[in-house]
Amino acid sequence: MRFPKIAAACTLVLLAAACGSGSGDDTGGSGEAPDTLTVWRMGDASEEENEFMDSVTEQYQELYPDTEVDIQWIPWGEFSQRFQTAMVSGGPDVVEIGNDQVATWADAEALYDVAEFVEEWEDRDDLLEGAYANGTFDDAQYSIPWYSGVRALWYNADWLDELGHEPPETWDELLEVSEDIQDEYEVPGFAAPTDFINGIASFVWANDGEFAIEENDEWVGQLDSRATAEALEFYAHLTLDGHSPAACVGVDEVECAHADFANRQVGMFIEGPWSEPQIADINDEHAEHWATAPIPGVDGMAPAFAGGSDLAVWGTTEHPEAAFDYVTTLNNKENAMSYSDVSSMFPTYEDLLESDTFQEDPVLAGAAEQATGDLRQLPDTPNWGHVQWELATVQNAVERMAGGSLPEDVLPELNEELTEALNRPTDE
């Protein structure tokens, strides 16, 4: 269904009773101080997360000493329902939001346009432009990027040194390095899971393909377009040609590659640096040799899916300036570095990603370079979740092709399914 516009949802009674916080005297912040500032964080709180949020509260209360900060944790699986309810019964002041969800909720008028506040924010110009663009909708700014999760190519540095190779930068080099790993170490050179749309997207984008495009207010699937079909066929043939284990067909990157990479049963795979602790728990015998590089493309570094979270001011807050002060406190550069330690996610400041903290860590360095490159999102429509998680249209296409089916027997059929799903009514 289409979410009701917030202007209609908050009646005068609700606006007075539930759509904002109480107020106090002006303080050292830029806006009038609320009695309580409510912040919605997504996910489940760990001890480290709570300690970090407590430190941010202390910093914020230096600006607003009489304001209580109420941190509420919302499970990711419940966020959509909670957002819809909040549009009617009143929401928080500040909300964490998945960066692929901003346009949906901005269109529903659930978020506050913070463009005028951003103009005065001293750290604005240091943000990654690709990440900042996620919060732009209809010439307004509805969020700012907080942290990013970018995938990169994992490899064993000692193996590549022994083989005389640098990390592959192109598809041709990926095949060459993979073949040499297979010849020398008798293991598959690369892991290509089929249930891995965020990784498959890099191959599609690298070949100038798209999963779908919007034309005349309708979505048109592109799975059987030349560029996209070539990329999907290349990825599927990594399995058919023996570069990737057959066991990776039908599974995700964790099941496909974590254990095999830790145990040196596969040479390379694509994953985020946040997985290092999980891989080390399996077997850290060779951890000193682990490193990452940008994902290879046709002619160089491929684009990457820009995962992560943004920070937004809720549309009905009575204290937007104070709420934005909290956003900039939470995401100042010092806190961005601290949260990277807590979460293993990247800050969205280009100068921080270029610092020694990231460049001198072999597992972080390649992913940090990827994060400063071409970052993209999947098709910007509320129906994409249905395509990705329920129908698994793209994953099914790759799985069938990796199992030996011909592109012409698979892609037109699934492209029709994709197009139909993306154009389902959302306003009923």
Side-chain angles (χ1 to χ4, degrees):
M1 69 176 191
R2 183 171 180 79
F3 306 117
K5 297 295 185 180
I6 205 160
C10 274
T11 64
L12 292 177
V13 173
L14 286 173
L15 196 60
C19 288
S21 306
S23 62
D25 296 331
D26 288 348
T27 67
S30 60
E32 185 180 4
D35 292 336
T36 300
L37 189 89
T38 301
V39 178
W40 280 6
R41 279 292 319 273
M42 299 297 139
D44 299 314
S46 65
E47 182 178 350
E48 294 80 5
E49 291 262 11
N50 281 326
E51 289 176 356
F52 171 78
M53 297 304 294
D54 287 345
S55 73
V56 173
T57 294
E58 292 175 3
Q59 296 168 47
Y60 182 73
Q61 288 175 333
E62 293 178 8
L63 298 174
Y64 296 91
D66 296 325
T67 297
E68 296 294 324
V69 178
D70 179 19
I71 309 294
Q72 299 180 11
W73 291 85
I74 312 298
W76 278 109
E78 298 178 10
F79 89 91
S80 181
Q81 182 60 49
R82 293 290 295 271
F83 275 32
Q84 291 181 58
T85 301
M87 291 181 64
V88 177
S89 60
D93 298 288
V94 176
V95 62
E96 175 187 353
I97 183 170
N99 60 9
D100 60 344
Q101 292 290 317
V102 175
T104 296
W105 295 99
D107 183 50
E109 298 183 0
L111 308 179
Y112 192 95
D113 179 5
V114 295
E116 63 177 309
F117 304 143
V118 172
E119 290 179 3
E120 305 298 323
W121 183 32
E122 61 182 0
D123 290 334
R124 156 65 187 98
D125 290 340
D126 294 332
L127 291 168
L128 295 168
E129 284 302 320
Y132 182 77
N134 289 335
T136 305
F137 182 78
D138 280 351
D139 299 321
Q141 194 66 34
Y142 289 102
S143 66
I144 64 167
W146 182 21
Y147 64 78
S148 67
V150 178
R151 290 156 182 83
L153 180 76
W154 283 64
Y155 65 94
N156 285 296
D158 58 331
W159 279 12
L160 266 60
D161 287 343
E162 292 168 5
L163 294 170
H165 283 301
E166 295 293 323
E169 297 180 355
T170 67
W171 287 1
D172 287 342
E173 291 175 3
L174 178 65
L175 296 178
E176 179 184 359
V177 174
S178 178
E179 289 169 359
D180 286 353
I181 289 173
Q182 291 169 262
D183 290 343
E184 181 67 23
Y185 303 108
E186 299 183 346
V187 300
F190 181 76
T194 61
D195 188 12
F196 187 33
I197 198 166
N198 294 339
I200 294 169
S202 284
F203 289 81
V204 170
W205 292 329
N207 202 44
D208 295 327
E210 297 286 350
F211 293 122
I213 59 175
E214 194 172 14
E215 293 181 347
N216 300 320
D217 297 325
E218 289 194 353
W219 286 93
V220 181
Q222 297 292 295
L223 297 187
D224 57 353
S225 68
R226 181 197 58 79
T228 303
E230 285 180 355
L232 296 178
E233 186 173 13
F234 176 86
Y235 190 87
H237 269 266
L238 291 168
T239 299
L240 287 173
D241 296 341
H243 299 293
S244 175
C248 287
V249 176
V251 301
D252 62 21
E253 68 276 24
V254 175
E255 187 175 349
C256 164
H258 279 200
D260 278 354
F261 185 79
N263 294 320
R264 294 208 160 195
Q265 295 301 305
V266 73
M268 299 175 288
F269 76 111
I270 294 171
E271 175 63 298
W274 56 81
S275 293
E276 184 177 11
Q278 289 75 34
I279 298 171
D281 282 344
I282 297 169
N283 183 357
D284 64 357
E285 180 182 357
H286 305 288
E288 64 185 290
H289 302 301
W290 298 344
T292 67
I295 299 170
V298 177
D299 299 313
M301 179 168 57
F305 172 71
S309 279
D310 281 17
L311 298 169
V313 174
W314 193 250
T316 54
T317 178
E318 291 184 346
H319 301 280
E321 290 177 288
F324 190 75
D325 281 342
Y326 182 88
V327 167
T328 55
T329 301
L330 174 57
N331 197 31
N332 65 37
K333 290 186 179 181
E334 182 178 353
N335 284 333
M337 290 296 286
S338 296
Y339 193 67
S340 179
D341 291 338
V342 170
S343 66
S344 298
M345 295 294 184
F346 283 157
T348 52
Y349 293 104
E350 186 167 3
D351 55 336
L352 296 184
L353 293 172
E354 294 173 348
S355 69
D356 290 347
T357 299
F358 297 98
Q359 296 301 319
E360 294 184 357
D361 185 315
V363 172
L364 296 178
E369 182 179 352
Q370 184 83 63
T372 61
D374 185 357
L375 302 182
R376 302 190 188 181
Q377 290 286 345
L378 298 166
D380 186 12
T381 163
N383 284 334
W384 182 256
H386 175 62
V387 169
Q388 179 172 349
W389 303 115
E390 297 175 19
L391 297 177
T393 305
V394 175
Q395 301 96 308
N396 289 337
V398 177
E399 180 176 346
R400 288 169 60 179
M401 291 164 60
S405 296
L406 296 175
E408 56 265 32
D409 293 333
V410 173
L411 297 181
E413 170 197 342
L414 291 181
N415 193 65
E416 183 177 346
E417 174 183 279
L418 174 68
T419 299
E420 181 180 351
L422 291 182
N423 289 297
R424 292 192 315 167
T426 60
D427 57 355
E428 296 180 353

